[in-house]
Amino acid sequence: MDLNYSDEELVFRDEIRSWLAANLPQDLREKVETYAELTRDDLMRWHRILAQKGWVAPSWQKEWGGTDWTPVQRNIFEEECGFASAPPLMLFGLHMCGPVLQRFGTQAQKERFLPRIYNGDDFWCQGYSEPGSGSDLASLKTRAERQGDHYVVNGQKIWTTLAHYADWIFCLVRADPSTDKKQDGISFLLIDMKTPGITVRPLMLMDGVRHVNEVFFDDVKVPVENLVHEEGKGWTVAKYLLGHERMSAGRTGVSKRELAKLKELAASQPGNDGKAIIEDPHFRAKLTRLEVELMALEITNLRFLDEMRRTGQPPGADVSMLKIKGTEIQQTLTELMMRAADPADLEKYEVLARRYFNMRKTTIYGGSNEVQRNIIAKMTFGL
Amino acid sequence: MNFESNEEQRLLTDSVRRFIDKDYDFEKRRKIIASPEGWDSNAWAALAEMGVTALALPAEYDGFDGGAVDLMGIMEAFGAGLVVEPFLPTVLAGRLVMAAGSEAQRRAILPRVASGELRLAFAHLERGARFDLSRVGAEAKRTGDAWTISGEKRAVVGAPVAGKLVVSARTPSGLGLFLIDTQDAELKRHATVDGMRVADVLLFNAKAELLGDGAATLAKIEEVNDFGTALVCAEAVGAMKYACDTTLDYLKTRKQFGVTIGSFQALQHRMVDMYIASELSRSMTCLACSKVDATGDAKERAHAVSAAKIKISDSARLISQEAVQLHGGMGMTEELKVSHTFRRLTVIAEQFGDEDYHLTRFGAL
Ligand SMILES: Cc1cc2nc3c(=O)[nH]c(=O)nc-3n(C[C@H](O)[C@H](O)[C@H](O)COP(=O)(O)OP(=O)(O)OC[C@H]3O[C@@H](n4cnc5c(N)ncnc54)[C@H](O)[C@@H]3O)c2cc1C
């Protein structure tokens, strides 16, 4: 057993690190570090810089722009981006729609969409959840009825992140409402957000920012060539994506950066005795526990990557533990930051408190942590 | 031993509850916190009419001789309804006037507080002090009979709507408490994440009236602060009860997988733990309120209050987080009251000292 990076991996890491240092725009870095809201332009600017370098979608197939990196290298890259305070990449196109098209799309769909996703020409959003279908996603009702060479879509999606920025939405819709199993009869459709009949309405979250929306479909005509995979086989596509999603949910790079920031903050903020709060034994114990959790997550993450490297297989149900622990850690990080702030410093407290509020979402979305536990209980334990 | 409220306490609490149900629902509160003033003078007048503003003041100054136990039910109702009117700061500052002021000062201030005409706030916190009450940097200077104060007080709850401020400052004989007109200070106003109005209070040779100074001042501040801590614990209990009730309702109505989500045992147990935390918090609040009323022994009082605040801070965090989690995406929205209760409980967990502070304080007693 050797838990260290190999020499080649270290060289690779240094290459990434110095490239980031030279190419990540200072204003974007500052926005990320001060938790300022990132605009569509901010997000896309960073996307395009990476696309130009050829690093925006490392896990894609080589012919569409993938880098052929090993899982460990991909992880190093993500960690380094996190450390460097790079803006997040919008996952909906790069990590969701892109891989789906590569796996299930027709050649025409690949050629039409993949380069535009890669280059950041289109902004995508994800239309899965509905008011009555959250954890029980397969019960979704948004209807897509075939009429000649079109589907006519009617229904409603909810919680659609950044739909107000999006050019395209990929949706799970019900093509056939008469199937016995609710997982059957679902289709995976790509819909142009400019199509008549689509209404996007904002939903304000408790941090006071517009992140999510309701999206209404009223007789929206979608050409049949926008169907991915077969009609009624959308659930297969969704399940394929699930694995992808959870693997990137650990976000150890971002969490390590935030931990370093938390320590810096705690060293600068007063405790109750005139010394810095980081020296308060109670606070310190919480901080240390968090750091240990993060170390444990990081090594566990590496174990998964190593297994992927050795077997060439995607990870099994156990990756759910990365999502559970990764999100819990992200939440505790924001909680301790909020609590480290001098309560007399209203501005600082408010920024950190809002971030704490916002991060409550991480244990709810992407398959709630309860659902992730159900997955391990069922798939790993057979319970 | 008797945990029951008496007839008078019940009647008053009931009328406050009815008022909140009828005239201070969630929609009304939304409008209030979105308004430029951030509070509602009609609601304030109605509370004063019911006698709430007079309750914790002595009868000789038009009060009702009440204490924390008498206010418990009312604070709970405020917590459940997320009332933002500056009652707590007014009561605290009023009790400081009582504790430190002269007869003439009490007579000049307290009846006006009791009637609801005058709102007060206690300007004490400074940068770098965190929860340590003894850390005061503001300086009071005396010229002849007149005092002035210079310094910066931070995050003073209720200051934007207070007519007068009770301000702590250093004097040649130690720590002093002063009264100033709010208009003699420069205020930097903020609306906090829980919908309250606070201000940074900047004092540049501000005209001040000495209430009292000297060795006993810190003990007076501590006593009143413990009183406030007990009250905010009661407020938290009301907010927790609301969070538990509304989450339980949601578990019983929200359906996924063809059944109510409350049928999942994983969630049932979480709900039970929330409920237990809220009941234990209620118990500790009873203890803290009765001790701040009954005991002249500062150590015994501090022991009960810090214990209560530790329990309440832990429970506030657990219950607020679980309430949001069990609501799924709905719990994250501005539109649902539970997200506002979440925010108030987040702030309460730190108000008057977070559990780390009280762990240390309790441990040192
Ligand atoms: C900020 C944010 C952004 C989002 N972005 C998107 C997006 O871009 N696109 C999209 O399609 N969706 C998005 N979502 C939706 C998200 O995926 C859902 O909120 C999530 O699936 C949970 O569904 P729900 O909100 O309906 O909660 P519910 O499913 O109603 O769950 C309520 C509670 O019950 C629990 N629960 C449910 N079933 C079980 C069970 N069987 N056992 C134990 N506990 C259970 C849940 O864990 C939760 O605690 C977003 C959500 C949020 C909050």
Side-chain angles (χ1 to χ4, degrees):
Chain A
M1 194 181 314
D2 179 3
L3 269 58
N4 297 307
Y5 287 135
S6 68
D7 288 343
E8 299 85 75
E9 283 161 352
L10 287 175
V11 170
F12 175 79
R13 188 194 63 190
D14 292 344
E15 184 199 347
I16 302 286
R17 198 172 278 182
S18 52
W19 184 84
L20 284 169
N23 291 281
L24 172 59
Q26 185 60 24
D27 61 321
L28 292 183
R29 178 197 307 258
E30 269 166 28
K31 273 191 155 180
V32 170
E33 283 178 353
T34 55
Y35 309 121
E37 204 184 333
L38 293 158
T39 63
R40 186 186 197 278
D41 281 351
D42 292 332
L43 295 168
M44 293 326 276
R45 179 146 61 102
W46 179 235
H47 180 121
R48 291 193 187 106
I49 293 171
L50 280 176
Q52 238 160 30
K53 174 71 183 169
W55 285 353
V56 84
S59 62
W60 282 22
Q61 291 164 5
K62 190 112 212 268
E63 61 170 314
W64 300 109
T67 52
D68 248 355
W69 289 341
T70 64
V72 175
Q73 284 176 312
R74 291 205 305 258
N75 187 62
I76 288 173
F77 177 71
E78 270 170 38
E79 282 211 351
E80 289 301 321
C81 287
F83 277 145
S85 299
L89 286 170
M90 291 322 297
L91 301 179
F92 303 118
L94 290 171
H95 280 218
M96 296 185 185
C97 196
V100 157
L101 288 175
Q102 286 164 66
R103 172 76 178 73
F104 298 101
T106 62
Q107 188 61 23
Q109 286 173 335
K110 291 179 189 174
E111 281 166 12
R112 178 171 173 206
F113 292 110
L114 289 178
R116 296 185 59 81
I117 295 176
Y118 192 95
N119 294 320
D121 298 328
D122 292 333
F123 197 107
W124 283 79
C125 65
Q126 177 189 29
Y128 278 19
S129 308
E130 298 181 6
S133 308
S135 299
D136 182 15
L137 184 57
S139 67
L140 61 93
K141 293 200 176 63
T142 296
R143 185 82 169 89
E145 222 173 325
R146 176 89 187 245
Q147 285 180 9
D149 55 358
H150 281 89
Y151 290 102
V152 177
V153 178
N154 280 290
Q156 183 197 344
K157 296 293 175 183
I158 192 171
W159 313 120
T160 325
T161 300
L162 301 183
H164 54 300
Y165 287 172
D167 305 300
W168 284 83
I169 182 169
F170 57 91
C171 283
L172 289 177
V173 292
R174 190 155 298 279
D176 180 359
S178 70
T179 58
D180 290 340
K181 262 186 78 188
K182 59 188 179 183
Q183 284 82 358
D184 297 336
I186 290 173
S187 290
F188 194 99
L189 269 192
L190 313 177
I191 304 177
D192 186 338
M193 289 295 282
K194 287 186 293 294
T195 321
I198 298 182
T199 314
V200 178
R201 205 184 285 159
L203 267 175
M204 296 308 278
L205 296 186
M206 64 164 138
D207 62 350
V209 181
R210 177 179 185 181
H211 308 276
V212 299
N213 303 273
E214 295 176 288
V215 181
F216 298 88
F217 298 87
D218 184 13
D219 283 334
V220 174
K221 283 173 81 178
V222 181
V224 285
E225 67 249 31
N226 289 9
L227 172 73
V228 178
H229 202 33
E230 291 164 42
E231 190 172 295
K233 290 280 166 62
W235 195 250
T236 314
V237 180
K239 274 206 321 219
Y240 168 78
L241 254 188
L242 256 177
H244 255 270
E245 254 188 278
R246 277 176 290 154
M247 197 58 215
S248 54
R251 295 171 71 90
T252 49
V254 174
S255 289
K256 278 162 82 173
R257 176 191 77 218
E258 294 301 307
L259 180 73
K261 283 177 69 180
L262 168 58
K263 286 182 180 171
E264 244 171 63
L265 178 76
S268 76
Q269 300 295 297
N272 295 306
D273 53 3
K275 286 188 257 168
I277 187 76
I278 200 169
E279 294 185 46
D280 180 294
H282 299 296
F283 188 88
R284 184 82 212 189
K286 282 197 264 279
L287 181 63
T288 304
R289 276 187 194 288
L290 176 64
E291 182 161 6
V292 172
E293 285 286 291
L294 180 53
M295 287 164 70
L297 174 71
E298 190 187 0
I299 305 298
T300 308
N301 190 33
L302 291 176
R303 279 174 56 209
F304 278 102
L305 293 170
D306 185 53
E307 191 173 309
M308 281 166 73
R309 181 182 59 81
R310 278 184 288 120
T311 63
Q313 293 296 313
D318 275 3
V319 274
S320 284
M321 75 175 73
L322 301 182
K323 199 273 175 175
I324 294 170
K325 280 292 144 190
T327 51
E328 286 176 359
I329 287 168
Q330 289 166 52
Q331 291 183 336
T332 310
L333 276 164
T334 55
E335 185 174 332
L336 290 189
M337 278 204 202
M338 171 181 74
R339 295 187 54 189
D342 184 348
D345 188 341
L346 282 166
E347 274 115 15
K348 182 174 267 119
Y349 178 81
E350 172 158 352
V351 169
L352 296 172
R354 287 191 190 283
R355 199 169 148 70
Y356 163 71
F357 301 159
N358 178 260
M359 291 307 271
R360 305 314 302 172
K361 71 188 177 190
T362 61
T363 48
I364 295 170
Y365 68 18
S368 75
N369 284 19
E370 289 74 31
V371 166
Q372 305 292 348
R373 287 183 169 89
N374 287 347
I375 290 173
I376 296 183
K378 191 166 162 199
M379 309 301 282
T380 304
F381 301 155
L383 289 171
Chain B
M1 187 183 319
N2 180 9
F3 279 94
E4 248 185 315
S5 338
N6 64 33
E7 179 73 10
E8 254 173 281
Q9 291 162 347
R10 260 200 310 274
L11 284 175
L12 182 53
T13 302
D14 282 349
S15 48
V16 170
R17 264 203 215 115
R18 268 198 307 276
F19 166 74
I20 292 172
D21 284 347
K22 194 161 104 5
D23 294 318
Y24 207 98
D25 63 6
F26 181 50
E27 274 317 304
K28 180 72 196 290
R29 177 184 182 271
R30 275 169 95 108
K31 290 204 186 91
I32 294 172
I33 61 175
S35 70
E37 304 78 29
W39 72 298
D40 181 27
S41 56
N42 292 327
W44 184 261
L47 291 171
E49 182 70 25
M50 285 181 252
V52 173
T53 47
L55 191 58
L57 296 173
E60 48 193 312
Y61 307 110
D62 300 350
F64 294 116
D65 278 335
V69 169
D70 299 299
L71 282 168
M72 241 178 80
I74 295 169
M75 290 308 295
E76 261 181 61
F78 286 177
L82 297 175
V83 170
V84 295
E85 277 59 31
F87 173 67
L88 189 56
T90 298
V91 161
L92 292 196
R95 286 179 77 101
L96 283 169
V97 171
M98 185 62 211
S102 66
E103 172 61 20
Q105 287 168 324
R106 294 172 182 173
R107 198 147 293 291
I109 300 293
L110 299 182
R112 294 174 61 203
V113 172
S115 72
E117 175 206 333
L118 181 64
R119 281 165 307 283
L120 303 173
F122 178 34
H124 181 68
L125 179 66
E126 297 182 15
R127 280 243 163 111
R130 196 164 289 258
F131 303 117
D132 179 357
L133 292 171
S134 70
R135 207 170 283 267
V136 171
E139 295 263 6
K141 261 203 317 242
R142 180 178 194 157
T143 336
D145 271 348
W147 289 87
T148 56
I149 301 181
S150 293
E152 300 185 355
K153 298 293 182 177
R154 299 283 165 178
V156 180
V157 183
V161 298
K164 285 182 187 291
L165 304 174
V166 173
V167 183
S168 56
R170 296 263 144 228
T171 68
S173 55
L175 196 56
L177 285 168
F178 295 82
L179 209 54
I180 70 163
D181 281 338
T182 310
Q183 61 196 24
D184 290 332
E186 184 188 324
L187 261 51
K188 272 172 64 190
R189 291 153 206 269
H190 300 259
T192 48
V193 290
D194 56 347
M196 301 279 173
R197 295 304 166 109
V198 308
D200 290 331
V201 175
L202 312 181
L203 302 161
F204 311 98
N205 293 318
K207 202 163 66 179
E209 185 183 329
L210 178 70
L211 288 165
D213 67 342
T217 306
L218 183 60
K220 288 175 186 162
I221 293 175
E222 273 170 358
E223 182 174 352
V224 169
N225 207 65
D226 276 345
F227 184 81
T229 311
L231 291 192
V232 90
C233 286
E235 185 187 343
V237 166
M240 289 180 203
K241 171 123 179 32
Y242 172 78
C244 287
D245 288 349
T246 195
T247 304
L248 181 58
D249 275 348
Y250 199 72
L251 292 186
K252 287 179 173 171
T253 47
R254 170 70 172 168
K255 282 192 170 170
Q256 288 289 273
F257 305 100
V259 294
T260 56
I261 57 173
S263 66
F264 303 130
Q265 223 161 47
L267 301 191
Q268 290 172 2
H269 288 192
R270 306 261 292 268
M271 188 68 239
V272 171
D273 286 341
M274 289 166 69
Y275 175 63
I276 293 173
S278 83
E279 286 302 316
L280 297 184
S281 297
R282 180 182 298 281
S283 304
M284 291 306 277
T285 299
C286 292
L287 177 74
C289 287
S290 68
K291 291 289 180 193
V292 298
D293 281 354
T295 180
D297 179 347
K299 202 164 153 179
E300 198 182 330
R301 184 194 73 221
H303 195 259
V305 167
S306 278
K309 191 63 202 327
I310 292 166
K311 189 73 222 160
I312 269 71
S313 292
D314 282 346
S315 304
R317 203 163 290 118
L318 173 92
I319 290 171
S320 61
Q321 293 177 352
E322 291 287 70
V324 166
Q325 181 68 23
L326 298 192
H327 274 82
M330 286 310 292
M332 292 293 300
T333 61
E334 180 82 19
E335 269 151 59
L336 241 65
K337 184 175 161 188
V338 73
S339 77
H340 297 254
T341 302
F342 172 93
R343 281 176 271 177
R344 180 67 192 132
L345 283 172
T346 301
V347 171
I348 287 182
E350 292 193 42
Q351 221 173 342
F352 298 102
D354 62 3
E355 81 270 18
D356 290 355
Y357 169 76
H358 285 285
L359 282 167
T360 306
R361 185 181 186 228
F362 186 94
L365 284 169

